[in-house]
Amino acid sequence: MKRAVDAAVASVVVACALVILAATRAVPRRRRKGGKVLLVFNTFYSLKVLRERGTMHTITHRDLDGYFDHVWSIHPLVGADDPSAFAGAPSVTRLGPRHTVIEGRVARSVSLKAFPRLNFALAQSELLIRVSWLIAREQVGIIRAWEPFYTGLVSVALGRLHAVPVELRIPSHFDRIYEDVGDLAFPKLLPSRRLEQAVSRFSLRHADQVVVLSEDNREYAINNGASEERTSQLGSWSLIDPVHMVQPDERGPVADFGLGDRPFVVAVTRLERVKYPQDVLLALARARVDFPELGGLLIGDGSMRDELDELARELGLDGHLIFIRNLDVLELSRAITSAAVAYVLIAGLALREAALSGTPIVAYDYEWHSEFVVPEETGILV
């Protein structure tokens, strides 16, 4: 009974929000002389995490050295992985004259925790009404989304409502991910494979421009409805923090992670099934049979952390493998440079950062890796 009420009231909230969204088209526009305004939807990391890691460049690079007069960055799902921040009103943080970040929550109020659908509908409706008002008021010229599911669908809807072109970026081959591990991109929002595919295809067909980061990503986009004429490839080098551009021998000494002077393997990855982080432990245990002095550094966090801790104990890696949840970008660059081998499982930026470190790379022959790594010349593909 409670679920039915929750769903019914949530539907009413969404219907009311749609009416209000339509009305935002009439918001008076601010006079702007020649300014270019970009609005970006992205669900990768919250401001809290970016500040902890010192990776604010992933936001501030978006103005393209002043090409855009202002960039509004929207993270609609803060709190999905952080219970301490899951509820509340949208927050607005001004990072400087060209950048403002708005973070929405996955719930509006802690008191409504027993009604998750209503709670989510209230939080997202409030955020999207505010964003729609912003698009009209600030004369946003381009809307960009970084995946074809939730933010892709929202961006296409807002783009049509305000007659603003939508650029949809594809960072992964989501079909292959599902085939390999069965993971959905947004299991709570799009709980079935059929629904996920339908939303992705709708977004890709209706986006004004689709930007892929590799030929592998292009395959996904074209297979799911994007037209060749509206699809272009653009590398993600601008996302890389300038710290990784410093010559390896000029980055300074690596911090003491408890491995002493022993050689070590480094892997930078999210600890999620889709990334196969358990392979780091299995490979290190096998390598230590022949090289017992070898250590390991696994940098990243995720839902598999406790499981990997247990596996490390079973494999006898206590004291030989160090887990680090978050690492400042400067220390990260030094850690990769100081490693004997960079072990790249399935990565985007992490592979580029490893290449810039000058450290020998062993990478899986998966997704776009073969487009970047030349076997036996710039690394080893497994």
Side-chain angles (χ1 to χ4, degrees), residues 80-345:
D81 300 317
D82 183 2
S84 67
F86 92 103
S91 62
V92 181
T93 305
R94 191 170 179 85
L95 301 180
R98 295 185 183 276
H99 294 276
T100 304
V101 177
I102 299 179
E103 294 187 312
R105 301 300 192 271
V106 294
R108 184 60 182 85
S109 172
V110 175
S111 62
L112 292 173
K113 195 172 184 179
F115 301 92
R117 291 181 179 85
L118 173 60
N119 217 356
F120 180 79
L122 286 170
Q124 294 300 294
S125 295
E126 181 179 3
L127 172 69
L128 295 179
I129 289 170
R130 179 177 294 194
V131 171
S132 184
W133 178 89
L134 185 153
I135 292 170
R137 176 72 173 174
E138 298 296 321
Q139 298 187 49
V140 169
I142 302 175
I143 300 174
R144 177 187 299 163
W146 267 91
E147 44 83 7
F149 307 109
Y150 184 60
T151 64
L153 183 63
V154 165
S155 296
V156 167
L158 289 171
R160 291 295 179 269
L161 178 65
H162 293 280
V164 174
V166 174
E167 175 198 289
L168 182 55
R169 296 203 170 185
I170 303 299
S172 297
H173 197 308
F174 297 101
D175 286 345
R176 186 168 292 127
I177 290 173
Y178 183 80
E179 292 167 3
D180 286 349
V181 296
D183 278 4
L184 297 171
F186 291 88
K188 292 184 179 180
L189 294 178
L190 305 174
S192 75
R193 173 63 172 161
R194 181 175 296 180
L195 180 59
E196 179 184 78
Q197 287 180 308
V199 171
S200 175
R201 289 168 181 167
F202 179 88
S203 299
L204 284 163
R205 284 198 304 268
H206 291 85
D208 297 279
Q209 183 72 26
V210 176
V211 176
V212 298
L213 306 185
S214 67
E215 285 300 317
D216 177 81
N217 299 164
R218 182 191 295 274
E219 179 184 70
Y220 171 82
I222 300 302
N223 288 349
N224 285 274
S227 69
E228 291 278 3
E229 296 75 20
R230 292 183 293 106
T231 301
S232 57
Q233 184 172 332
L234 179 67
S236 56
W237 290 100
S238 61
L239 283 168
I240 295 177
D241 193 284
V243 165
H244 291 286
M245 300 295 184
V246 176
Q247 291 295 319
D249 58 0
E250 297 176 2
R251 296 184 184 182
V254 67
D256 182 5
F257 297 112
L259 293 172
D261 295 329
R262 63 201 297 188
F264 64 92
V265 175
V266 66
V268 183
T269 184
R270 288 186 291 117
L271 307 186
E272 303 291 347
R273 285 193 309 156
V274 68
K275 297 293 187 178
Y276 295 93
Q278 68 275 13
D279 288 8
V280 176
L281 283 67
L282 297 171
L284 178 61
R286 175 61 187 84
R288 281 180 43 76
V289 172
D290 298 319
F291 304 97
E293 74 280 10
L294 187 66
L297 193 61
L298 181 53
I299 303 171
D301 200 4
S303 62
M304 290 183 66
R305 175 59 191 271
D306 292 341
E307 178 183 336
L308 294 174
D309 279 337
E310 179 62 27
L311 180 59
R313 286 191 289 271
E314 292 176 3
L315 294 173
L317 294 177
D318 285 343
H320 305 295
L321 176 66
I322 307 298
F323 289 90
I324 298 181
R325 293 183 184 274
N326 291 318
L327 197 61
D328 177 86
V329 65
L330 177 58
E331 289 299 327
L332 175 65
S333 71
R334 291 172 174 172
I336 302 173
T337 299
S338 301
V341 175
Y343 186 7
V344 181
L345 303 162

